[in-house]
Amino acid sequence: MLLRHYDHTHAADLRDLLLNVHDDCYAGPDRGEFDSRERFAQFVDHWSQGPGWVCIISHDDDQDGQAVGFAYGAPLPTGSPWWSKIAGLDPEFTHETGSRTFAVSEVVVRPQWRKTGTSTRLHEELLTGRHEERATLLVDSTHPKVQALYEAWGYSALGQTKPFADAPVMTAMIRPLTPRSK
């Protein structure tokens, strides 16, 4: 498996690839509007505009280099509303400086490559060398197996949020990126 790194300067070139992999993962008659190609394109366009955006794409060595998955994210900007809909968080905890928290926006792996360690490799590669003190992500609250995977990766649940009107209820999770004191 080959992992390739990209930044915001490559976003336009990667857009269709990201959308096509996403389509393979969320295709089907039960696909809701939130999981539609059009809605996902809005997220790709939003996240990939910032200079801190990073994308890792995994390619299969045995399938003519076919993209099998990707992970991307970016630092939360100064004053980000990321935490605003989660009850009970200390204002000091939610204060974003532009370099405090890295948001993992997507970890997507095509169905035939799931349960192969691809998502773990993508995620860890995305966070390798980050300078932020913590990483955060949102997981659909109706997917406890996915939340358990994130917990195995070192994340802890903080609370629930509904970041957009058409979004499912999500669990906000956080993971320290600096070494924990003993």
Side-chain angles (χ1 to χ4, degrees), residues 46-62:
H46 168 77
W47 281 98
S48 66
Q49 297 305 307
W53 183 77
V54 178
C55 180
I56 311 295
I57 299 178
S58 172
H59 298 270
D60 188 337
D61 296 329
D62 300 330

Side-chain angles (χ1 to χ4, degrees), residues 47 51-54 73-78 96 98-103 130 132:
W47 281 98
W53 183 77
V54 178
L76 292 179
T78 301
E96 289 302 333
S99 61
R100 183 179 191 191
T101 307
F102 185 81
R130 298 298 322 164
E132 296 83 6

Side-chain angles (χ1 to χ4, degrees), residues 7-15 18 40-55 72-75 77 105:
D7 64 20
H8 74 283
T9 63
H10 298 96
D13 298 331
L14 299 175
R15 189 176 190 270
L18 299 178
F40 184 65
Q42 293 173 355
F43 288 118
V44 169
D45 294 344
H46 168 77
W47 281 98
S48 66
Q49 297 305 307
W53 183 77
V54 178
C55 180
Y72 71 72
S105 181

Side-chain angles (χ1 to χ4, degrees), residues 51-96:
W53 183 77
V54 178
C55 180
I56 311 295
I57 299 178
S58 172
H59 298 270
D60 188 337
D61 296 329
D62 300 330
Q63 300 280 328
D64 297 324
Q66 177 184 14
V68 301
F70 62 85
Y72 71 72
L76 292 179
T78 301
S80 171
W82 182 271
W83 311 106
S84 65
K85 296 182 181 179
I86 304 168
L89 296 180
D90 184 308
E92 178 57 32
F93 177 86
T94 64
H95 176 72
E96 289 302 333

Side-chain angles (χ1 to χ4, degrees), residues 10 12 17 28 48 74 85 99 102 108 120 155 173 178 181:
H10 298 96
L17 176 91
S48 66
K85 296 182 181 179
S99 61
F102 185 81
V108 178
T120 301
Y155 287 88
M173 302 186 80
T178 55
S181 58

Side-chain angles (χ1 to χ4, degrees), residues 2-162:
L2 177 64
L3 299 176
R4 291 192 174 125
H5 296 241
Y6 301 93
D7 64 20
H8 74 283
T9 63
H10 298 96
D13 298 331
L14 299 175
R15 189 176 190 270
D16 284 341
L17 176 91
L18 299 178
L19 295 176
N20 291 339
V21 172
H22 179 269
D23 284 349
D24 285 351
C25 296
Y26 291 96
D30 58 341
R31 178 187 212 166
E33 179 62 29
F34 189 73
D35 292 324
S36 71
R37 181 182 181 92
E38 295 76 22
R39 185 69 165 121
F40 184 65
Q42 293 173 355
F43 288 118
V44 169
D45 294 344
H46 168 77
W47 281 98
S48 66
Q49 297 305 307
W53 183 77
V54 178
C55 180
I56 311 295
I57 299 178
S58 172
H59 298 270
D60 188 337
D61 296 329
D62 300 330
Q63 300 280 328
D64 297 324
Q66 177 184 14
V68 301
F70 62 85
Y72 71 72
L76 292 179
T78 301
S80 171
W82 182 271
W83 311 106
S84 65
K85 296 182 181 179
I86 304 168
L89 296 180
D90 184 308
E92 178 57 32
F93 177 86
T94 64
H95 176 72
E96 289 302 333
T97 64
S99 61
R100 183 179 191 191
T101 307
F102 185 81
V104 177
S105 181
E106 299 290 339
V107 179
V108 178
V109 176
R110 285 187 160 132
Q112 60 268 41
W113 282 277
R114 291 182 185 155
K115 299 185 184 203
T116 64
T118 301
S119 63
T120 301
R121 287 188 62 202
L122 283 165
H123 175 265
E124 291 307 310
E125 190 70 18
L126 183 67
L127 296 183
T128 296
R130 298 298 322 164
H131 299 288
E132 296 83 6
E133 68 186 63
R134 60 194 187 182
T136 187
L137 53 76
L138 301 177
V139 59
D140 186 328
S141 296
T142 63
H143 294 112
K145 288 182 181 179
V146 178
Q147 183 171 329
L149 174 65
Y150 294 149
E151 289 168 350
W153 291 350
Y155 287 88
S156 300
L158 287 175
Q160 294 191 327
T161 184
K162 190 170 170 67

